[in-house]
Amino acid sequence: MTFTSRRKAAMFATAGAVALGLAACGGGGDDGGETGGSTGGSSGEALTLEQLQEEGTITVGFAGEAPYSFEEGGELTGATVALQERIWNELGIENVEGVQAEFGQLIQGLNAGRFDVIAAGMSILPERCEQAIFSDPEFMYTTALMVPEGNPEGLTDMQSIVDSGVQVAALTGAIEATYATDLGISAMEVGNPQDGLDAVVNGRADVFALTGISLNWMADNNPDAPVEVTESFVANIDGVDQVGAGGTVFRPSDTDLRDAYNEQLAGIVGDEASYLEVVGDFGFTAEERPTGEITTEQFCAGDIG
């Protein structure tokens, strides 16, 4: 299998949509002249597995958040990339072509036909389920905080940010930005994780909130940065623990394609050894493996968290 990446300056969203990071473009809108290899997408027609098998290529939208999906040596890599390569290969599609865009603009790009699916460890949320459909959970996750070395404010969780009144940075469109809003925190939103790290290092933010596995990866790969990462935690909003999971995202019309993907995914996620074989090299452990007890339908209905 080959995997290629195309960088894309994704400036197609309106200012309001960028701020939300969840709204999708209307069907048939301008796609900026660049689409994936499919014949579905903004036309509203369902994309089928048979089409992709005939073309031999699927175009997948990614965000630059390590260790989920990121560029290294000019090539996209990461845990979601490894899953995409394994599953689409098993489904008879040899080439996976990646398009990198900012996290908060991925759903707009998907519904505008710029790529065929999204694989960015995207959290399954009710508002997103109104815009697109999700695979079964691929990753369970918790939140952590990146803080200056020594953690001078003694931050431990989202509530401690509220209590201390410090400036928090969060990734545009990410669940941590939603947590901040729900808690009445005015967050500085950043377009990618590196900007969040830089904000803490440069003193523009006191803390950067993101998934624990992403922040630990960043800290390990930026050993000279004067930052540290707190213990991971499950965020609590209004007394409710916010259990989180991420999955691959499909256009609403592509239910058959989603179902075919889920069949292959089940064989990987359902076996701990198989799961770790695919994503273990990127720091994922058995703790991140979904067990099937919580479903996408429950997340979409708002029954979880």
Side-chain angles (χ1 to χ4, degrees), residues 213-235:
I213 200 159
S214 295
L215 291 182
N216 283 312
W217 180 279
M218 289 184 68
D220 289 345
N221 286 274
N222 291 273
D224 295 331
V227 297
E228 63 184 69
V229 179
T230 67
E231 292 291 327
S232 295
F233 58 89
V234 174

Side-chain angles (χ1 to χ4, degrees), residues 7 22-23 64 68 143 145 202 216 260:
R7 273 201 170 274
L22 299 171
Y68 295 97
T143 297
L145 307 175
N202 296 331
N216 283 312

Side-chain angles (χ1 to χ4, degrees), residues 195-304:
D195 288 344
L197 184 152
D198 291 343
V200 174
V201 171
N202 296 331
R204 292 182 293 112
D206 301 297
V207 53
F208 177 37
L210 196 64
T211 59
I213 200 159
S214 295
L215 291 182
N216 283 312
W217 180 279
M218 289 184 68
D220 289 345
N221 286 274
N222 291 273
D224 295 331
V227 297
E228 63 184 69
V229 179
T230 67
E231 292 291 327
S232 295
F233 58 89
V234 174
N236 186 286
I237 309 295
D238 295 329
V240 179
D241 286 342
Q242 305 296 302
V243 178
T248 293
V249 192
F250 299 76
R251 285 183 286 267
S253 59
D254 296 344
T255 54
D256 288 347
L257 186 63
R258 187 271 317 273
D259 292 346
Y261 181 92
N262 275 343
E263 279 192 40
Q264 300 300 319
L265 175 64
I268 297 171
V269 173
D271 178 73
E272 182 177 316
S274 296
Y275 186 74
L276 295 179
E277 178 187 352
V278 177
V279 303
D281 287 346
F282 301 97
F284 289 81
T285 70
E287 292 184 1
E288 282 78 44
R289 183 176 71 93
T291 61
E293 296 176 0
I294 303 176
T295 67
T296 293
E297 289 73 23
Q298 288 175 297
F299 280 111
C300 286
D303 294 337
I304 306 297

Side-chain angles (χ1 to χ4, degrees), residues 83-104:
L83 269 177
Q84 296 299 307
E85 291 179 327
R86 172 69 66 89
I87 289 174
W88 296 119
N89 185 36
E90 290 177 347
L91 288 170
I93 301 164
E94 182 179 355
N95 299 310
V96 176
E97 183 174 81
V99 175
Q100 186 171 343
E102 288 191 1
F103 189 91

